[in-house]
Amino acid sequence: MGLVRTLLPLSRAAARLSTGPGGRLHGAALMRCVIPHWVLLRPPSPQRRLAWAEEAVAVYRAFVETAAPRPRDRDDLARGLVQHGYALQLVGRWAESCAAMDASLAVPGARWSPAQRAFLLLLRAQAQFNLARPDDALGPAEECVAACRRLVPARRDRAFGGLPRALRTYALVLAALDRTEESVAVYEECAGLLRTVPIWELGGVAMLRVLVLGELTNRLRASGRYEEALSVGPEAREVMDPIFLWALPDAARSSRVRLLTDLARCLEATGELPSARTTAEEAVAEARNLAGRDRGSGERSLITALDCLADEFGELGEPTAELNARREAADLCTALAAERPEAYDSLLAVCLERLADCHETAGDLPAAVRASERGVAAYRRAADLDPPAHEPRLARSLANSSRLRGDDGDLDGAIGDAREAVALTRRLAESDWLAHHAPTARRLRLLGRALRRNGDHAAAVACYEESETILADASADPGTDRHAADLGGTHIGLARSLEAAADAHLADGRTDDAVLALRSLLALTRRTDRSDVHVCCMAAFAQALAEHRDTVVPAWRRETGEDFPTFVYRWSEAGSEHRRQGGNRTPVADRADPRQSGRM
């Protein structure tokens, strides 16, 4: 093949001198260059292969458009268009690849061998998969596997693919459709076939072995089969040995980084933390080498590897090392997002979220707030380009930013972020209530918390009551308890807000409003069995009775026609000095008074 490349200028000259035999000779030479055969030669660049494929199509099209084309000319044009579609895929032009394959099928009178038709199905499945259309890719992928099972390709047809390549594509499509177990089974079959390839043919499937074993490890990890993933690891690392990878494209090196990252995650899941850190450090080192060769894929791989290494540092209790790794990942992603925001803004947002978590764990709330704000801005940019994919993440990021701002004392900022998160989640729930009703309830609770801390007790109560309604409706079916924790959090938040509202109303002389809040609090205690809600209720009533007996008792009788409730707790001076978070007071237990028989 190297000799054919060298002689291409001569074949072009022959085509100019003799459009018939010379042109056909030149077309054959171009097709020979487009489809590499010698494994000891580095494959030509995708751009050169695309240029040769386009030239071959032009040569064969000229023959077909003559007055009396030969049947072989139509066959050659159809085959050239398929190879043009393949070359377009090598440079990532997937939609144009589909168009080239449609054009190949439209060549009148073209004859197809079974191997060529299977290769066409393979390319169509790959194009649809990379256009994020896995549903459309599933049919061609299944047909291709079935076709490849029926044929034994001749030597000249082996370059068109074969069953292992068809299986790998089918496994990718199944994984994209979240059919993980089926995907793993197909990958295992593919890996088994590759193990039986004769040694003299290994060079032709070297890259495929690298990809399949790495992706099998990834899928096993995704399905929680960590021990099995680690059992595949030694074989995968062997085929991805750095010396062996020297002869393969940088895509194989990227696959090695992903493999090492997956193995580190599996080791972490099985409790082998020191080994997980060592493997993650290998992944980072490999990614740095790749970034020096291919900045585009290398730096993205480096970000993923650094995130994995940071997680391992966190598991091992090394906060400084974790923070440094997360800072490096965020800085690297920031630089990439400045150049290509459409590709990296969403990844930058994730890196900044994790950096904010790291700062929060370290107790540096101002730094956590700054990182969170940057993450929100990155998600806004990503959501502007792809709302369905990134608006749910933007809402989650806004909620997290609200929580951090509130903890840092910026209550106005916390309320603003929480309001936006609630509004966005409500809008998302309009189209998918099942997925977004629980997040709506949680973000209402977050907004209620910020409003309560800011003294807007009525608005806080309204938020908590709406949250309770949403969760109670979702939990109405018998045996449904998946929202129990959320509902409990809403109840205690509502109790504290009602207690604070009653306290504020009594302090301002609004006794009737205070009685309304106390009645709501008493009703809450009767529909929940949470002891912290009951304690909150007793504290509120005890404080009202101790500090505002002359006004609250008559108001209660006037509004309810009943005596004011009494307790086995009394409010003491010592107890009045103890307050829970948010300004709520904690009652102090005293001996029971036998004269007070009223209970809540």
Side-chain angles (χ1 to χ4, degrees):
M1 185 181 65
L3 180 62
V4 177
R5 292 188 208 172
T6 305
L7 295 177
L8 273 181
L10 294 178
S11 68
R12 286 195 185 96
R16 287 194 296 270
L17 292 173
S18 173
T19 56
R24 290 185 175 88
L25 175 64
H26 183 48
L30 287 166
M31 291 296 288
R32 184 79 175 178
C33 294
V34 170
I35 309 173
H37 294 274
W38 290 95
V39 300
L40 296 179
L41 290 175
R42 278 186 176 272
S45 69
Q47 291 74 19
R48 292 185 70 186
R49 292 171 73 172
L50 177 59
W52 290 330
E54 289 172 344
E55 188 177 356
V57 167
V59 169
Y60 289 132
R61 195 184 297 279
F63 286 116
V64 171
E65 292 175 351
T66 60
R70 300 188 310 179
R72 177 66 182 273
D73 295 331
R74 295 190 177 93
D75 299 344
D76 289 339
L77 176 58
R79 191 164 65 99
L81 284 166
V82 170
Q83 292 300 326
H84 184 215
Y86 177 51
L88 286 166
Q89 290 191 9
L90 293 177
V91 295
R93 292 158 63 177
W94 306 103
E96 294 175 65
S97 175
C98 286
M101 286 180 280
D102 290 339
S104 71
L105 290 172
V107 176
R111 296 166 297 184
W112 297 83
S113 72
Q116 289 169 340
R117 189 164 292 279
F119 186 51
L120 180 65
L121 289 167
L122 176 67
L123 292 181
R124 186 172 292 281
Q126 289 175 342
Q128 297 290 358
F129 170 77
N130 284 282
L131 288 169
R133 300 172 187 164
D135 292 315
D136 295 332
L138 182 60
E142 290 176 331
E143 290 181 53
C144 181
V145 169
C148 288
R149 291 190 194 281
R150 292 193 298 267
L151 62 88
V152 178
R155 184 178 181 84
R156 59 186 172 82
D157 289 331
R158 285 176 184 168
F160 290 119
L163 182 56
R165 287 184 171 85
L167 287 169
R168 187 244 172 178
T169 301
Y170 185 35
L172 283 171
V173 173
L174 290 171
L177 293 170
D178 292 328
R179 294 164 61 174
T180 303
E181 292 301 326
E182 294 174 79
S183 176
V184 168
V186 175
Y187 271 124
E188 288 176 334
E189 181 184 357
C190 185
L193 284 175
L194 291 171
R195 291 186 187 104
T196 65
V197 173
I199 191 169
W200 57 86
E201 293 182 5
L202 282 177
V205 295
M207 185 63 191
L208 185 62
R209 290 181 72 207
V210 167
L211 295 174
V212 166
L213 289 171
E215 289 162 6
L216 173 58
T217 304
N218 179 266
R219 289 296 89 202
L220 287 168
R221 179 176 78 86
S223 60
R225 295 158 64 176
Y226 304 116
E227 296 290 351
E228 293 177 66
L230 291 172
S231 69
V232 176
E235 181 184 4
R237 295 190 68 164
E238 180 182 352
V239 301
M240 296 185 189
D241 183 88
I243 298 175
F244 182 67
L245 291 178
W246 176 81
L248 293 179
D250 288 335
R253 297 177 180 273
S254 178
S255 184
R256 176 175 169 80
V257 175
R258 185 172 62 248
L259 170 68
L260 291 169
T261 303
D262 285 331
L263 292 176
R265 298 289 190 189
C266 292
L267 289 165
E268 175 191 338
T270 55
E272 300 179 51
L273 297 181
S275 297
R277 179 180 64 180
T278 301
T279 307
E281 288 172 340
E282 287 184 64
V284 169
E286 186 68 34
R288 292 193 197 282
N289 291 334
L290 178 60
R293 298 165 56 93
D294 180 1
R295 181 170 177 255
S297 62
E299 291 188 340
R300 192 177 187 98
S301 296
L302 179 55
I303 292 168
T304 304
L306 284 167
D307 180 65
C308 177
L309 180 58
D311 285 345
E312 307 313 328
F313 283 136
E315 290 292 329
L316 288 166
E318 301 180 30
T320 302
E322 179 188 4
L323 182 58
N324 290 337
R326 296 212 184 278
R327 276 177 176 159
E328 183 180 355
D331 291 344
L332 184 58
C333 204
T334 299
L336 292 171
E339 298 174 7
R340 294 183 57 200
E342 73 285 352
Y344 286 99
D345 269 335
S346 59
L347 182 59
L348 172 61
V350 172
C351 289
L352 289 169
E353 276 187 322
R354 292 175 181 171
L355 179 60
D357 291 342
C358 197
H359 281 305
E360 183 185 13
T361 302
D364 190 353
L365 278 178
V369 169
R370 290 192 296 271
S372 179
E373 288 172 346
R374 291 174 59 203
V376 168
Y379 270 132
R380 285 192 201 281
R381 295 191 296 269
D384 287 340
L385 296 175
D386 189 356
H390 299 297
E391 281 188 340
R393 299 175 183 178
L394 173 59
R396 184 197 65 206
S397 184
L398 283 164
N400 191 51
S401 177
S402 172
R403 180 182 59 79
L404 289 171
R405 284 184 164 189
D407 291 345
D408 195 40
D410 180 11
L411 294 178
D412 290 336
I415 291 170
D417 283 348
R419 285 192 192 281
E420 187 177 358
V422 168
L424 182 54
T425 313
R426 274 195 179 122
R427 183 161 57 79
L428 292 169
E430 290 175 359
S431 58
D432 190 352
W433 173 252
L434 189 63
H436 296 289
H437 72 279
T440 302
R442 286 194 292 270
R443 283 152 201 172
L444 280 165
R445 189 167 72 238
L446 185 67
L447 175 58
R449 176 174 177 259
L451 289 166
R452 173 171 59 82
R453 295 170 107 186
N454 204 39
D456 193 347
H457 305 300
V461 167
C463 288
Y464 281 115
E465 287 177 341
E466 184 180 354
S467 176
E468 181 188 24
T469 300
I470 292 171
L471 293 172
D473 289 345
S475 303
D477 296 334
T480 302
D481 60 354
R482 64 182 183 276
H483 300 302
D486 280 336
L487 188 59
T490 295
H491 281 156
I492 185 56
L494 177 57
R496 289 173 177 170
S497 296
L498 289 168
E499 180 188 6
D503 192 5
H505 290 322
L506 288 171
D508 293 340
R510 299 189 299 273
T511 309
D512 291 342
D513 292 334
V515 168
L516 181 61
L518 290 171
R519 291 178 66 187
S520 297
L521 183 54
L522 184 58
L524 175 62
T525 65
R526 291 170 177 168
R527 62 179 185 265
T528 182
D529 58 357
R530 288 184 63 98
S531 59
D532 47 6
V533 172
H534 297 168
V535 169
C536 195
C537 181
M538 288 187 286
F541 275 84
Q543 179 182 343
L545 190 63
E547 298 181 2
H548 304 277
R549 178 187 296 271
D550 294 341
T551 55
V552 74
V553 170
W556 181 274
R557 287 174 180 160
R558 185 171 60 251
E559 292 293 328
T560 66
E562 300 174 355
D563 291 336
F564 193 83
T566 55
F567 310 89
V568 296
Y569 286 83
R570 70 175 176 81
W571 197 258
S572 71
E573 289 300 321
S576 65
E577 296 174 0
H578 296 281
R579 290 180 174 268
R580 293 189 300 277
Q581 185 178 8
N584 298 313
R585 297 177 183 174
T586 304
V588 176
D590 199 2
R591 61 180 179 83
D593 187 343
R595 296 170 298 175
Q596 296 179 338
S597 58
R599 303 296 179 99
M600 287 194 300

